[in-house]
Amino acid sequence: MKSQTESKPFYKRIGLLGYIVAGMLTGVLAGWGLPDWAVRVFVTFNGLFSQFLGFIIPLLILGLVAPAIVDIGKGAGKMLLFTVALAYVATLCAGVLSYFTGVTFFPQMIQSDQYLGAVAEARSLSPYFTIAMQPLMTVTSALVLAFVLGLTVANFTTTALKDVLLDLRLVIVSVIRSVIVPLLPLYILGIFADMTYSGQVVAIVGTFIKVIGVIFVLHFMLLFVQYLIGGWIGRKNPFRCMKLIIPAYLTALGTASSAATIPVTLRQAKAMGVDPAVADFTVPLCATIHMSGSTLKLVACALALMILQGHAYDFSMFMGFIAMLGITIIAAPGVPGGAVMASLGLLSGILGFSDADNALMIALYIAMDSFGTACNVSGDGALALIVNRVFGKKQYA
């Protein structure tokens, strides 16, 4: 009898990451071997897809963030506020750790001169045609509107407007899953074909490998620090807790899904000594709002690309990016590549990323998607230890 995995068609078994990698490799071959007119076909598609992304990003933020705030804005009073604040602070700290690690090591690791030299000698190709798709609102307007709607609708006794927001979320998720995600490999293919044709791909790929290595090390460092703090505050042995959370880490690594890992994380948090009532509340909530691993990846990748391209940056710029990112990516769980999709507007609006930069961020992020998810959900156990110290075995309202 065939297993469920074996019964799936091959095109479903390889997953999004497989398609992204195939798109990158095919793009390199296409840029190297195809004539100008054929590469321009991919450049034209990329121009159209970039316009569509620019149009959909504000709607994506509104359609995902507002319902997420509505869902969070109800619950167990003080415990809810404390957990949300704790998750946000943990996410900010992960971003700051990533930034200062990158500032310390990336300038020595990344050869920006090689990339800038390749850019100076690049042969650019223009698309055959473009179609302008003006967004209905700016990213900032979408964020403000999402906050206003989410915070107000959460307190409504009627459900009419809430139902509208939930339906909008279904529409946006459907667009992501049915249109954006299936076309991403072709978009990545076009980006790498264009970069290969122009002679920039060698410097980019070399940077990818180095940055991914640093991010993997940072993930384990972050979890170590989180459990040291969580164990100290929660009066638990941090090393025992780290050992207990390994099943949740491996589950998230295999599924790349925070939601699918919730039952395992719940079981392991209770095994650490977290009060069952606290665990049942904290773990599912943190699976939605605690995104330390994702933030760490996004900040490191963004900083690496800015250093590679010789762009100016400073801590205040990245602090603003991290602060907004911690709020925006609460909409990410359950959506394929949700964190990087939700961050595209911030990357463009705050860090000045181009469409090609955003495409590279997507490729980098998805290449490490399951590791970021594993870091997120494993850190939920450390946060549960802290919440348990404050609210364990207490009545809360």
Side-chain angles (χ1 to χ4, degrees):
M1 182 177 178
K2 291 184 178 180
S3 67
Q4 185 176 3
T5 302
E6 291 174 339
S7 64
K8 291 183 179 179
F10 174 75
Y11 70 89
K12 290 186 177 181
R13 291 205 303 267
I14 66 174
L16 179 58
L17 175 58
Y19 283 112
I20 292 292
V21 173
M24 293 167 63
L25 296 177
T26 306
V28 171
L29 294 175
W32 178 69
L34 293 181
D36 295 4
W37 66 265
V39 178
R40 286 185 67 191
V41 172
F42 295 113
V43 173
T44 301
F45 168 78
N46 281 10
L48 295 173
F49 192 73
S50 296
Q51 287 288 326
F52 177 72
L53 279 180
F55 172 81
I56 204 68
I57 283 171
L59 297 177
L60 182 151
I61 291 173
L62 176 62
L64 295 182
V65 174
I69 294 175
V70 171
D71 290 339
I72 294 172
K74 58 181 182 180
K78 294 178 181 179
M79 190 175 180
L80 170 69
L81 295 176
F82 181 84
T83 306
V84 170
L86 180 64
Y88 183 68
V89 170
T91 301
L92 288 182
C93 291
V96 172
L97 171 66
S98 181
Y99 173 81
F100 282 109
T101 302
V103 168
T104 302
F105 294 105
F106 287 172
Q108 289 76 37
M109 297 170 55
I110 297 173
Q111 299 176 352
S112 59
D113 293 341
Q114 179 183 354
Y115 176 80
L116 295 175
V119 171
E121 299 173 1
R123 301 168 294 169
S124 61
L125 291 175
S126 58
Y128 286 112
F129 64 92
T130 59
I131 299 176
M133 306 178 197
Q134 295 297 326
L136 298 179
M137 65 189 81
T138 66
V139 171
T140 303
S141 299
L143 279 171
V144 172
L145 183 58
F147 297 154
V148 170
L149 287 175
L151 293 172
T152 54
V153 173
N155 295 309
F156 283 3
T157 55
T158 59
T159 62
L161 192 50
K162 178 183 176 180
D163 291 340
V164 172
L165 292 178
L166 295 178
D167 287 343
L168 177 60
R169 176 165 62 185
L170 291 177
V171 171
I172 296 301
V173 170
S174 178
V175 170
I176 293 173
R177 290 178 172 168
S178 304
V179 180
I180 296 179
V181 170
L183 291 178
L184 273 180
L186 184 58
Y187 185 48
I188 299 297
L189 189 158
I191 292 292
F192 274 79
D194 189 25
M195 287 194 308
T196 303
Y197 178 85
S198 63
Q200 303 174 38
V201 74
V202 174
I204 290 289
V205 171
T207 300
F208 275 19
I209 296 172
K210 296 174 184 177
V211 170
I212 288 173
V214 171
I215 290 173
F216 284 166
V217 174
L218 273 177
H219 275 164
F220 293 111
M221 287 178 55
L222 177 63
L223 288 174
F224 182 74
V225 171
Q226 286 181 337
Y227 274 92
L228 282 182
I229 296 173
W232 176 65
I233 295 176
R235 297 181 180 178
K236 305 291 182 182
N237 185 330
F239 300 102
R240 176 179 176 272
C241 292
M242 280 187 273
K243 182 180 179 181
L244 284 170
I245 205 63
I246 290 175
Y249 183 92
L250 295 177
T251 302
L253 199 63
T255 63
S257 170
S258 299
T261 313
I262 287 175
V264 181
T265 313
L266 267 174
R267 183 187 65 197
Q268 299 310 111
K270 293 174 183 177
M272 295 177 197
V274 177
D275 185 274
V278 174
D280 289 343
F281 178 88
T282 305
V283 170
L285 178 61
C286 286
T288 302
I289 63 175
H290 176 228
M291 307 293 286
S292 292
S294 299
T295 300
L296 187 151
K297 282 193 305 179
L298 288 166
V299 171
C301 293
L303 180 61
L305 285 175
M306 293 186 76
I307 293 174
L308 180 68
Q309 299 178 69
H311 293 170
Y313 64 90
D314 55 34
F315 178 68
S316 61
M317 173 191 292
F318 265 87
M319 196 62 230
F321 172 69
I322 295 167
M324 293 301 296
L325 188 63
I327 299 172
T328 304
I329 61 176
I330 63 172
V335 182
V340 70
M341 293 298 177
S343 71
L344 293 180
L346 301 180
L347 289 167
S348 300
I350 297 178
L351 302 184
F353 272 35
S354 65
D355 294 335
D357 295 333
N358 283 339
L360 291 172
M361 285 291 297
I362 293 171
L364 259 178
Y365 186 90
I366 292 177
M368 301 175 285
D369 192 22
S370 60
F371 287 93
T373 302
C375 185
N376 290 338
V377 300
S378 299
D380 294 347
L383 300 191
L385 291 172
I386 298 174
V387 177
N388 185 68
R389 179 72 179 87
V390 179
F391 293 97
K393 301 183 188 302
K394 290 183 180 180
Q395 296 294 320
Y396 49 90

